[in-house]
Amino acid sequence: MIRINQKDSFSIENTLFSFALKSEAAEVFEDCNTLITGIGKVNAAYELTKAIQIKKPSLIVNLGSAGSNHFQKGDVICCTKFVQRDMDVRGLGFELYETPLSGLPPILEYGLIMEGLQQGICGTGDSFEMGHRTTVYNVVDMEAYALAMIAMKENIPFLCLKYISDGADDNAAEDWAVQVHKAAFAYGNILKLNKNVLI
């Protein structure tokens, strides 16, 4: 069982673990039901939609690396709020980050809270952010918004954990290359992964 908090637990057999890259899963998750989406919102949306139709998961868990100038490198952050940081249609009178005519607010709120972890707001976009300045979101990635939106629309519980690999600053690329392989082991420890059992 996967225990999220005192009242929520899920069967590991029907849980889908989503990663952008195989290196983020490493050998820690080799016996689990994993999905490697590739980088970016389009890849993430396509691969998750296809996987939902085939595997019909009861829980989607998004695990991956992310940048932040708010949290420390090596922190694992639970995200339940998501911003599409490269959506900007203010020229037509919409709010910054609002997807026009979608019925969705600029900040999408969806996901489970894992007890004992700090919470963050994830800004998702199709760019590797190296000059993060905004305070609207404090975690930066390239897939989570799309995954959270699809999980919400399909009414599937969603857990998003992000391993902070870099500071979303001038050193982000170098830091990410060094830190990204550590994410899977951090998740294995938090989820107490042992012989395909999460407790």
Side-chain angles (χ1 to χ4, degrees), residues 128-199:
F128 188 79
E129 192 162 334
M130 298 178 68
H132 182 217
R133 296 290 182 268
T134 182
T135 57
V136 174
Y137 53 90
N138 50 25
V139 173
V140 180
D141 91 325
M142 299 178 70
E143 297 83 25
Y145 179 96
L147 301 172
M149 185 191 71
I150 290 168
M152 180 190 70
K153 290 192 171 189
E154 294 296 319
N155 199 29
I156 301 172
F158 181 70
L159 175 66
C160 179
L161 304 181
K162 293 296 178 181
Y163 178 88
I164 304 304
S165 59
D166 61 83
D169 54 17
D170 292 344
N171 297 316
E174 181 179 338
D175 290 344
W176 180 85
V178 172
Q179 294 288 327
V180 66
H181 70 282
K182 299 179 181 178
F185 298 99
Y187 294 132
N189 289 333
I190 287 172
L191 298 171
K192 298 180 172 60
L193 188 62
N194 182 25
K195 295 183 179 179
N196 209 29
V197 176
L198 291 171
I199 55 175

Side-chain angles (χ1 to χ4, degrees), residues 107-124:
I107 299 178
L108 176 69
E109 295 189 39
Y110 188 73
L112 299 167
I113 295 173
M114 177 163 269
E115 291 178 347
L117 295 181
Q118 299 178 81
Q119 294 180 46
I121 301 173
C122 186
T124 298

Side-chain angles (χ1 to χ4, degrees), residues 28-162:
V28 176
F29 288 85
E30 63 184 7
D31 293 327
C32 295
N33 185 18
T34 59
L35 173 68
I36 308 301
T37 66
I39 294 173
K41 291 182 292 181
V42 174
N43 284 330
Y46 172 74
E47 294 296 343
L48 180 59
T49 300
K50 186 170 64 172
I52 287 172
Q53 299 306 311
I54 296 170
K55 299 183 178 184
K56 303 187 186 313
S58 59
L59 172 68
I60 297 167
V61 180
N62 173 224
L63 305 171
S65 56
S68 179
N69 63 4
H70 179 80
F71 299 106
Q72 299 297 311
K73 280 185 281 189
D75 286 349
V76 175
I77 308 302
C78 181
C79 297
T80 59
K81 296 180 181 180
F82 305 89
V83 174
Q84 195 167 196
R85 59 181 166 86
D86 52 5
M87 181 62 72
D88 186 352
V89 195
R90 287 176 290 177
L92 294 179
F94 295 93
E95 289 185 59
L96 180 61
Y97 311 127
E98 179 183 3
T99 301
L101 310 177
S102 67
L104 298 174
I107 299 178
L108 176 69
E109 295 189 39
Y110 188 73
L112 299 167
I113 295 173
M114 177 163 269
E115 291 178 347
L117 295 181
Q118 299 178 81
Q119 294 180 46
I121 301 173
C122 186
T124 298
D126 288 321
S127 63
F128 188 79
E129 192 162 334
M130 298 178 68
H132 182 217
R133 296 290 182 268
T134 182
T135 57
V136 174
Y137 53 90
N138 50 25
V139 173
V140 180
D141 91 325
M142 299 178 70
E143 297 83 25
Y145 179 96
L147 301 172
M149 185 191 71
I150 290 168
M152 180 190 70
K153 290 192 171 189
E154 294 296 319
N155 199 29
I156 301 172
F158 181 70
L159 175 66
C160 179
L161 304 181
K162 293 296 178 181

